Amino acid sequence: MKKIINISLLLLCVLVTQSCSVIDDDLSTCARDLELNIEVKMHTKLDLQLDQQLNSNADNPVRRIIYNQLADIFTDHAHDINVTVFEENSSNIAHNIDDVIDSNQSTYPISLRMANYDALALANLDDNAVVNYVSKDNHGQAMIEIPTADVSSQRTGLFAARKHLTITGETSQTIQMTLTQINSAVSLIIDAQNISRDNVEVFVQGTASGFMMADSVFLFDKQITTRADLPIDATPRFAAPDDNNTQPNVNANLCFTAVTLPSSDTEISQGCYYKIIINTTNADATVTHTELSVPEQLPAGRLKIIKTQMQSDGRVLPTENTNIGVTVKLDWNDGGQHDVEL
């Protein structure tokens, strides 16, 4: 009987020795309670960008249309969120969160052992049919990818973050991950004279084809052509009062907007970071092809507005930024048709 008691005491000592609550020399296998705070943050507000680029009374109708087009893109509101925590220098997943938050912030209790980790977070992927989140279970290869060369405008504002985590011996830690926007937008305003809205197509070309999550690097491994939207609920004619507020000045402004990934920080050709392509079908059935070469970068989270005027032969010329390069092909029919999935 005494031997049985001694054996039981010995086993109990072994179990206590292995317990995280009493051992002082190695707590690396002990889980620590954490609070992971996810926040979606806008660096540049849509109202501010519109105020800077459309600042006259005559611009107000176009301003309202662009705001309605982009209010759900340039926002700190996240519908869905994906967070994956990887063991450091590994693709072993220690924790994963897939959630619908419909907010700009959410907090999650998680438990991780003492070690180093790398976390990747992405918001608003669910309703963005243009991009895919590929290799998301592989930390070094996880990326946002535009799989086809010709695409429609993106429908959501994409937000991403990466963070290195060090879990210490503290009983609890609060970890903050702040997601920032990785896509952008271009709006082309055309004073289109008497050209029907159905006779104009606008594309943005030369923006990024992907985004490496772990490195925060945009990819340009293929040429992406994005079809710009012309809102169907927006009348193509806006009446803007003159200086005396008596007689309206009738314009035929068309407002095309494309939500894309950013441009490169290096020129794709001399003096050009990305291009805007306009195809105009004229009354005689000929097509005028205009290429605008934009000499400025399109950074993530930014909106670029370009004002233009259509000429009688269908060419489209900038009215404010004279540094934009213009190339025109009249009677254009060389098979440059863009087949964009809608």
Short mmCIF file of all heavy atoms in Angstrom, two decimals, residues 166-221:
data_model
loop_
_atom_site.label_atom_id
_atom_site.label_comp_id
_atom_site.label_asym_id
_atom_site.label_seq_id
_atom_site.Cartn_x
_atom_site.Cartn_y
_atom_site.Cartn_z
N THR A 166 5.00 39.74 -31.12
CA THR A 166 5.85 39.08 -30.14
C THR A 166 5.03 38.86 -28.88
O THR A 166 4.63 39.83 -28.21
CB THR A 166 7.10 39.91 -29.81
OG1 THR A 166 7.87 40.08 -31.00
CG2 THR A 166 7.95 39.22 -28.76
N ILE A 167 4.73 37.61 -28.58
CA ILE A 167 3.93 37.28 -27.41
C ILE A 167 4.88 37.05 -26.24
O ILE A 167 5.73 36.17 -26.28
CB ILE A 167 3.05 36.04 -27.66
CG1 ILE A 167 2.25 36.20 -28.95
CG2 ILE A 167 2.13 35.80 -26.47
CD1 ILE A 167 1.44 37.48 -29.02
N THR A 168 4.74 37.86 -25.20
CA THR A 168 5.65 37.83 -24.07
C THR A 168 5.05 37.04 -22.91
O THR A 168 4.00 36.42 -23.04
CB THR A 168 5.96 39.27 -23.60
OG1 THR A 168 4.75 39.85 -23.08
CG2 THR A 168 6.45 40.12 -24.77
N GLY A 169 5.72 37.11 -21.77
CA GLY A 169 5.26 36.39 -20.60
C GLY A 169 4.15 37.09 -19.84
O GLY A 169 3.70 36.59 -18.81
N GLU A 170 3.70 38.24 -20.34
CA GLU A 170 2.60 38.92 -19.69
C GLU A 170 1.34 38.08 -19.75
O GLU A 170 1.12 37.34 -20.71
CB GLU A 170 2.35 40.28 -20.35
CG GLU A 170 3.55 41.23 -20.31
CD GLU A 170 3.29 42.50 -21.10
OE1 GLU A 170 2.10 42.84 -21.28
OE2 GLU A 170 4.26 43.14 -21.54
N THR A 171 0.53 38.20 -18.74
CA THR A 171 -0.69 37.40 -18.70
C THR A 171 -1.69 37.82 -19.78
O THR A 171 -2.52 37.03 -20.20
CB THR A 171 -1.35 37.50 -17.32
OG1 THR A 171 -1.59 38.89 -17.02
CG2 THR A 171 -0.46 36.89 -16.25
N SER A 172 -1.61 39.08 -20.21
CA SER A 172 -2.51 39.52 -21.28
C SER A 172 -1.83 40.64 -22.06
O SER A 172 -1.05 41.41 -21.51
CB SER A 172 -3.85 40.01 -20.72
OG SER A 172 -3.66 41.14 -19.91
N GLN A 173 -2.13 40.73 -23.33
CA GLN A 173 -1.60 41.78 -24.20
C GLN A 173 -2.70 42.27 -25.12
O GLN A 173 -3.61 41.52 -25.48
CB GLN A 173 -0.46 41.25 -25.07
CG GLN A 173 0.83 40.93 -24.33
CD GLN A 173 1.88 40.38 -25.27
OE1 GLN A 173 2.22 39.21 -25.22
NE2 GLN A 173 2.38 41.23 -26.15
N THR A 174 -2.62 43.54 -25.50
CA THR A 174 -3.51 44.09 -26.51
C THR A 174 -2.70 44.40 -27.76
O THR A 174 -1.68 45.09 -27.70
CB THR A 174 -4.19 45.37 -26.00
OG1 THR A 174 -4.97 45.06 -24.84
CG2 THR A 174 -5.09 45.96 -27.08
N ILE A 175 -3.13 43.85 -28.87
CA ILE A 175 -2.42 44.01 -30.14
C ILE A 175 -3.30 44.82 -31.09
O ILE A 175 -4.47 44.48 -31.30
CB ILE A 175 -2.07 42.65 -30.75
CG1 ILE A 175 -1.13 41.88 -29.82
CG2 ILE A 175 -1.45 42.82 -32.12
CD1 ILE A 175 -0.88 40.47 -30.25
N GLN A 176 -2.74 45.87 -31.66
CA GLN A 176 -3.47 46.75 -32.57
C GLN A 176 -3.03 46.48 -34.01
O GLN A 176 -1.84 46.51 -34.31
CB GLN A 176 -3.22 48.21 -32.21
CG GLN A 176 -3.86 49.22 -33.13
CD GLN A 176 -5.33 49.44 -32.82
OE1 GLN A 176 -5.79 49.11 -31.72
NE2 GLN A 176 -6.08 49.97 -33.77
N MET A 177 -3.99 46.21 -34.90
CA MET A 177 -3.71 46.12 -36.33
C MET A 177 -4.56 47.17 -37.04
O MET A 177 -5.79 47.14 -36.94
CB MET A 177 -4.02 44.72 -36.87
CG MET A 177 -3.02 43.66 -36.51
SD MET A 177 -3.21 42.14 -37.50
CE MET A 177 -2.54 42.67 -39.09
N THR A 178 -3.92 48.09 -37.74
CA THR A 178 -4.61 49.15 -38.46
C THR A 178 -4.53 48.89 -39.95
O THR A 178 -3.44 48.84 -40.52
CB THR A 178 -4.01 50.52 -38.12
OG1 THR A 178 -4.08 50.74 -36.71
CG2 THR A 178 -4.75 51.63 -38.84
N LEU A 179 -5.68 48.72 -40.59
CA LEU A 179 -5.75 48.44 -42.01
C LEU A 179 -5.89 49.75 -42.78
O LEU A 179 -6.69 50.62 -42.40
CB LEU A 179 -6.92 47.52 -42.34
CG LEU A 179 -6.77 46.03 -42.03
CD1 LEU A 179 -6.70 45.77 -40.53
CD2 LEU A 179 -7.93 45.23 -42.63
N THR A 180 -5.15 49.89 -43.86
CA THR A 180 -5.23 51.07 -44.71
C THR A 180 -5.55 50.67 -46.15
O THR A 180 -5.32 49.52 -46.56
CB THR A 180 -3.92 51.88 -44.68
OG1 THR A 180 -2.83 51.03 -45.05
CG2 THR A 180 -3.66 52.43 -43.28
N GLN A 181 -6.04 51.62 -46.92
CA GLN A 181 -6.56 51.32 -48.25
C GLN A 181 -5.44 51.00 -49.24
O GLN A 181 -4.39 51.63 -49.24
CB GLN A 181 -7.40 52.48 -48.77
CG GLN A 181 -8.18 52.14 -50.04
CD GLN A 181 -9.23 53.18 -50.37
OE1 GLN A 181 -9.24 54.26 -49.82
NE2 GLN A 181 -10.13 52.84 -51.28
N ILE A 182 -5.72 50.01 -50.11
CA ILE A 182 -4.73 49.63 -51.12
C ILE A 182 -5.24 49.84 -52.55
O ILE A 182 -4.50 49.60 -53.50
CB ILE A 182 -4.26 48.17 -50.96
CG1 ILE A 182 -5.43 47.19 -51.12
CG2 ILE A 182 -3.57 47.98 -49.61
CD1 ILE A 182 -4.99 45.73 -51.18
N ASN A 183 -6.49 50.27 -52.73
CA ASN A 183 -6.91 50.60 -54.10
C ASN A 183 -7.17 52.10 -54.23
O ASN A 183 -7.14 52.84 -53.25
CB ASN A 183 -8.09 49.76 -54.59
CG ASN A 183 -9.28 49.76 -53.64
OD1 ASN A 183 -9.27 50.38 -52.59
ND2 ASN A 183 -10.32 49.04 -54.01
N SER A 184 -7.41 52.55 -55.45
CA SER A 184 -7.47 53.97 -55.80
C SER A 184 -8.60 54.18 -56.80
O SER A 184 -9.30 53.23 -57.17
CB SER A 184 -6.15 54.43 -56.41
OG SER A 184 -5.05 54.00 -55.64
N ALA A 185 -8.75 55.41 -57.28
CA ALA A 185 -9.79 55.69 -58.27
C ALA A 185 -9.37 56.82 -59.19
O ALA A 185 -8.63 57.72 -58.80
CB ALA A 185 -11.11 56.02 -57.60
N VAL A 186 -9.85 56.74 -60.43
CA VAL A 186 -9.65 57.79 -61.42
C VAL A 186 -11.03 58.19 -61.96
O VAL A 186 -11.81 57.32 -62.37
CB VAL A 186 -8.76 57.31 -62.59
CG1 VAL A 186 -8.62 58.41 -63.63
CG2 VAL A 186 -7.40 56.87 -62.08
N SER A 187 -11.33 59.49 -61.96
CA SER A 187 -12.58 59.99 -62.54
C SER A 187 -12.24 60.92 -63.72
O SER A 187 -11.45 61.86 -63.56
CB SER A 187 -13.40 60.75 -61.51
OG SER A 187 -13.97 59.88 -60.56
N LEU A 188 -12.83 60.62 -64.86
CA LEU A 188 -12.63 61.43 -66.06
C LEU A 188 -13.93 62.17 -66.36
O LEU A 188 -14.97 61.56 -66.60
CB LEU A 188 -12.25 60.55 -67.25
CG LEU A 188 -11.97 61.31 -68.56
CD1 LEU A 188 -10.62 62.00 -68.48
CD2 LEU A 188 -12.02 60.37 -69.76
N ILE A 189 -13.87 63.50 -66.32
CA ILE A 189 -15.02 64.34 -66.64
C ILE A 189 -14.87 64.84 -68.07
O ILE A 189 -13.87 65.48 -68.41
CB ILE A 189 -15.12 65.52 -65.67
CG1 ILE A 189 -15.25 65.03 -64.23
CG2 ILE A 189 -16.32 66.41 -66.03
CD1 ILE A 189 -15.13 66.12 -63.21
N ILE A 190 -15.86 64.53 -68.90
CA ILE A 190 -15.81 64.91 -70.31
C ILE A 190 -16.95 65.87 -70.61
O ILE A 190 -18.12 65.55 -70.42
CB ILE A 190 -15.93 63.69 -71.25
CG1 ILE A 190 -14.89 62.62 -70.91
CG2 ILE A 190 -15.78 64.13 -72.71
CD1 ILE A 190 -15.04 61.36 -71.75
N ASP A 191 -16.60 67.07 -71.07
CA ASP A 191 -17.60 67.95 -71.67
C ASP A 191 -17.81 67.41 -73.07
O ASP A 191 -17.04 67.69 -73.99
CB ASP A 191 -17.09 69.39 -71.68
CG ASP A 191 -18.11 70.36 -72.28
OD1 ASP A 191 -19.15 69.90 -72.78
OD2 ASP A 191 -17.84 71.57 -72.26
N ALA A 192 -18.88 66.63 -73.22
CA ALA A 192 -19.02 65.79 -74.42
C ALA A 192 -19.81 66.42 -75.54
O ALA A 192 -20.17 65.74 -76.50
CB ALA A 192 -19.66 64.45 -74.03
N GLN A 193 -20.14 67.71 -75.43
CA GLN A 193 -20.90 68.39 -76.49
C GLN A 193 -22.19 67.60 -76.76
O GLN A 193 -22.95 67.36 -75.85
CB GLN A 193 -20.04 68.55 -77.75
CG GLN A 193 -18.70 69.22 -77.50
CD GLN A 193 -18.82 70.65 -76.99
OE1 GLN A 193 -19.79 71.34 -77.31
NE2 GLN A 193 -17.87 71.08 -76.19
N ASN A 194 -22.41 67.18 -77.99
CA ASN A 194 -23.66 66.49 -78.32
C ASN A 194 -23.48 65.00 -78.54
O ASN A 194 -24.33 64.33 -79.13
CB ASN A 194 -24.29 67.11 -79.59
CG ASN A 194 -24.71 68.55 -79.36
OD1 ASN A 194 -25.28 68.87 -78.33
ND2 ASN A 194 -24.42 69.40 -80.33
N ILE A 195 -22.37 64.45 -78.05
CA ILE A 195 -22.12 63.02 -78.20
C ILE A 195 -22.95 62.24 -77.20
O ILE A 195 -23.03 62.59 -76.02
CB ILE A 195 -20.62 62.70 -77.99
CG1 ILE A 195 -19.78 63.42 -79.04
CG2 ILE A 195 -20.37 61.21 -78.04
CD1 ILE A 195 -19.98 62.92 -80.44
N SER A 196 -23.62 61.18 -77.65
CA SER A 196 -24.41 60.35 -76.76
C SER A 196 -23.51 59.60 -75.78
O SER A 196 -22.39 59.19 -76.13
CB SER A 196 -25.22 59.34 -77.57
OG SER A 196 -25.77 58.34 -76.73
N ARG A 197 -23.99 59.44 -74.57
CA ARG A 197 -23.23 58.69 -73.56
C ARG A 197 -22.94 57.27 -74.00
O ARG A 197 -21.94 56.66 -73.61
CB ARG A 197 -23.99 58.68 -72.24
CG ARG A 197 -25.39 58.07 -72.37
CD ARG A 197 -26.19 58.21 -71.09
NE ARG A 197 -25.65 57.37 -70.05
CZ ARG A 197 -25.69 57.68 -68.76
NH1 ARG A 197 -26.19 58.84 -68.38
NH2 ARG A 197 -25.24 56.87 -67.86
N ASP A 198 -23.82 56.69 -74.82
CA ASP A 198 -23.64 55.31 -75.28
C ASP A 198 -22.52 55.18 -76.31
O ASP A 198 -22.13 54.08 -76.67
CB ASP A 198 -24.95 54.79 -75.90
CG ASP A 198 -26.07 54.73 -74.88
OD1 ASP A 198 -25.78 54.45 -73.69
OD2 ASP A 198 -27.23 54.98 -75.26
N ASN A 199 -22.02 56.29 -76.81
CA ASN A 199 -20.98 56.26 -77.84
C ASN A 199 -19.58 56.49 -77.29
O ASN A 199 -18.64 56.69 -78.05
CB ASN A 199 -21.27 57.33 -78.91
CG ASN A 199 -22.49 56.99 -79.74
OD1 ASN A 199 -23.05 55.92 -79.61
ND2 ASN A 199 -22.91 57.91 -80.58
N VAL A 200 -19.43 56.49 -75.96
CA VAL A 200 -18.14 56.76 -75.34
C VAL A 200 -17.76 55.61 -74.40
O VAL A 200 -18.58 55.18 -73.57
CB VAL A 200 -18.15 58.08 -74.55
CG1 VAL A 200 -16.76 58.38 -74.00
CG2 VAL A 200 -18.63 59.23 -75.44
N GLU A 201 -16.55 55.11 -74.55
CA GLU A 201 -16.00 54.09 -73.65
C GLU A 201 -14.69 54.64 -73.06
O GLU A 201 -13.90 55.25 -73.79
CB GLU A 201 -15.71 52.78 -74.38
CG GLU A 201 -16.93 52.04 -74.88
CD GLU A 201 -16.53 50.74 -75.54
OE1 GLU A 201 -15.64 50.78 -76.41
OE2 GLU A 201 -17.09 49.68 -75.19
N VAL A 202 -14.50 54.40 -71.77
CA VAL A 202 -13.30 54.89 -71.11
C VAL A 202 -12.64 53.73 -70.35
O VAL A 202 -13.32 52.95 -69.68
CB VAL A 202 -13.63 56.04 -70.13
CG1 VAL A 202 -12.39 56.47 -69.35
CG2 VAL A 202 -14.21 57.23 -70.89
N PHE A 203 -11.30 53.66 -70.46
CA PHE A 203 -10.53 52.62 -69.80
C PHE A 203 -9.31 53.25 -69.11
O PHE A 203 -8.78 54.26 -69.58
CB PHE A 203 -10.03 51.56 -70.79
CG PHE A 203 -11.13 50.93 -71.61
CD1 PHE A 203 -11.54 51.50 -72.82
CD2 PHE A 203 -11.76 49.78 -71.19
CE1 PHE A 203 -12.54 50.93 -73.58
CE2 PHE A 203 -12.76 49.19 -71.93
CZ PHE A 203 -13.15 49.77 -73.13
N VAL A 204 -8.89 52.64 -68.02
CA VAL A 204 -7.65 53.03 -67.35
C VAL A 204 -6.67 51.87 -67.49
O VAL A 204 -7.02 50.72 -67.24
CB VAL A 204 -7.89 53.35 -65.85
CG1 VAL A 204 -6.57 53.64 -65.15
CG2 VAL A 204 -8.83 54.54 -65.72
N GLN A 205 -5.46 52.21 -67.90
CA GLN A 205 -4.48 51.16 -68.23
C GLN A 205 -3.13 51.49 -67.56
O GLN A 205 -2.70 52.63 -67.53
CB GLN A 205 -4.31 51.09 -69.74
CG GLN A 205 -3.57 49.88 -70.25
CD GLN A 205 -3.59 49.83 -71.77
OE1 GLN A 205 -2.79 50.47 -72.45
NE2 GLN A 205 -4.53 49.09 -72.31
N GLY A 206 -2.48 50.44 -67.06
CA GLY A 206 -1.14 50.60 -66.51
C GLY A 206 -1.07 50.56 -65.00
O GLY A 206 -0.01 50.82 -64.42
N THR A 207 -2.17 50.24 -64.32
CA THR A 207 -2.15 50.14 -62.87
C THR A 207 -1.73 48.73 -62.44
O THR A 207 -1.58 47.84 -63.26
CB THR A 207 -3.52 50.50 -62.28
OG1 THR A 207 -4.53 49.68 -62.91
CG2 THR A 207 -3.84 51.96 -62.53
N ALA A 208 -1.57 48.54 -61.14
CA ALA A 208 -1.01 47.29 -60.61
C ALA A 208 -1.91 46.10 -60.88
O ALA A 208 -3.14 46.22 -60.95
CB ALA A 208 -0.75 47.42 -59.11
N SER A 209 -1.28 44.94 -61.00
CA SER A 209 -2.00 43.68 -61.23
C SER A 209 -2.14 42.86 -59.97
O SER A 209 -2.85 41.84 -59.97
CB SER A 209 -1.27 42.86 -62.30
OG SER A 209 0.06 42.59 -61.87
N GLY A 210 -1.48 43.26 -58.88
CA GLY A 210 -1.56 42.49 -57.65
C GLY A 210 -0.88 43.20 -56.50
O GLY A 210 -0.27 44.27 -56.67
N PHE A 211 -0.98 42.58 -55.31
CA PHE A 211 -0.41 43.16 -54.09
C PHE A 211 0.05 42.03 -53.19
O PHE A 211 -0.75 41.16 -52.81
CB PHE A 211 -1.47 44.01 -53.38
CG PHE A 211 -1.02 44.60 -52.07
CD1 PHE A 211 -0.14 45.68 -52.03
CD2 PHE A 211 -1.49 44.08 -50.87
CE1 PHE A 211 0.26 46.23 -50.82
CE2 PHE A 211 -1.10 44.63 -49.66
CZ PHE A 211 -0.22 45.69 -49.63
N MET A 212 1.36 42.00 -52.89
CA MET A 212 1.91 40.99 -51.99
C MET A 212 1.65 41.42 -50.55
O MET A 212 2.12 42.46 -50.10
CB MET A 212 3.40 40.81 -52.23
CG MET A 212 3.76 40.30 -53.61
SD MET A 212 3.09 38.65 -53.99
CE MET A 212 3.90 37.63 -52.75
N MET A 213 0.90 40.61 -49.81
CA MET A 213 0.46 40.99 -48.48
C MET A 213 1.62 41.11 -47.49
O MET A 213 1.70 42.07 -46.72
CB MET A 213 -0.56 39.98 -47.97
CG MET A 213 -1.88 39.98 -48.74
SD MET A 213 -2.92 41.39 -48.34
CE MET A 213 -3.35 41.02 -46.64
N ALA A 214 2.52 40.14 -47.48
CA ALA A 214 3.58 40.11 -46.46
C ALA A 214 4.61 41.22 -46.67
O ALA A 214 5.23 41.68 -45.71
CB ALA A 214 4.27 38.75 -46.45
N ASP A 215 4.80 41.65 -47.92
CA ASP A 215 5.82 42.66 -48.23
C ASP A 215 5.22 44.04 -48.48
O ASP A 215 5.98 45.01 -48.63
CB ASP A 215 6.62 42.23 -49.46
CG ASP A 215 7.31 40.89 -49.26
OD1 ASP A 215 7.82 40.66 -48.15
OD2 ASP A 215 7.34 40.09 -50.21
N SER A 216 3.90 44.14 -48.58
CA SER A 216 3.23 45.40 -48.95
C SER A 216 3.81 45.96 -50.24
O SER A 216 4.12 47.15 -50.36
CB SER A 216 3.35 46.43 -47.81
OG SER A 216 2.61 46.02 -46.70
N VAL A 217 3.93 45.10 -51.25
CA VAL A 217 4.49 45.47 -52.54
C VAL A 217 3.46 45.24 -53.63
O VAL A 217 2.84 44.17 -53.69
CB VAL A 217 5.77 44.66 -52.83
CG1 VAL A 217 6.25 44.90 -54.25
CG2 VAL A 217 6.87 45.00 -51.83
N PHE A 218 3.27 46.25 -54.50
CA PHE A 218 2.37 46.08 -55.63
C PHE A 218 3.10 45.43 -56.80
O PHE A 218 4.29 45.67 -57.01
CB PHE A 218 1.80 47.44 -56.06
CG PHE A 218 0.81 48.00 -55.07
CD1 PHE A 218 1.21 48.94 -54.13
CD2 PHE A 218 -0.50 47.57 -55.07
CE1 PHE A 218 0.32 49.46 -53.21
CE2 PHE A 218 -1.41 48.07 -54.14
CZ PHE A 218 -1.00 49.02 -53.21
N LEU A 219 2.37 44.62 -57.55
CA LEU A 219 2.94 43.87 -58.67
C LEU A 219 2.48 44.47 -59.99
O LEU A 219 1.34 44.95 -60.11
CB LEU A 219 2.52 42.40 -58.60
CG LEU A 219 2.90 41.64 -57.32
CD1 LEU A 219 2.33 40.23 -57.37
CD2 LEU A 219 4.41 41.61 -57.14
N PHE A 220 3.36 44.39 -60.98
CA PHE A 220 3.05 44.90 -62.32
C PHE A 220 3.53 43.87 -63.34
O PHE A 220 4.22 44.20 -64.30
CB PHE A 220 3.74 46.25 -62.55
CG PHE A 220 3.24 47.33 -61.63
CD1 PHE A 220 3.79 47.50 -60.37
CD2 PHE A 220 2.20 48.17 -62.00
CE1 PHE A 220 3.33 48.49 -59.51
CE2 PHE A 220 1.73 49.16 -61.16
CZ PHE A 220 2.29 49.31 -59.90
N ASP A 221 3.10 42.61 -63.13
CA ASP A 221 3.58 41.53 -63.98
C ASP A 221 2.76 41.37 -65.25
O ASP A 221 3.12 40.59 -66.13
CB ASP A 221 3.61 40.21 -63.21
CG ASP A 221 2.25 39.84 -62.62
OD1 ASP A 221 1.38 40.72 -62.56
OD2 ASP A 221 2.08 38.68 -62.22
#
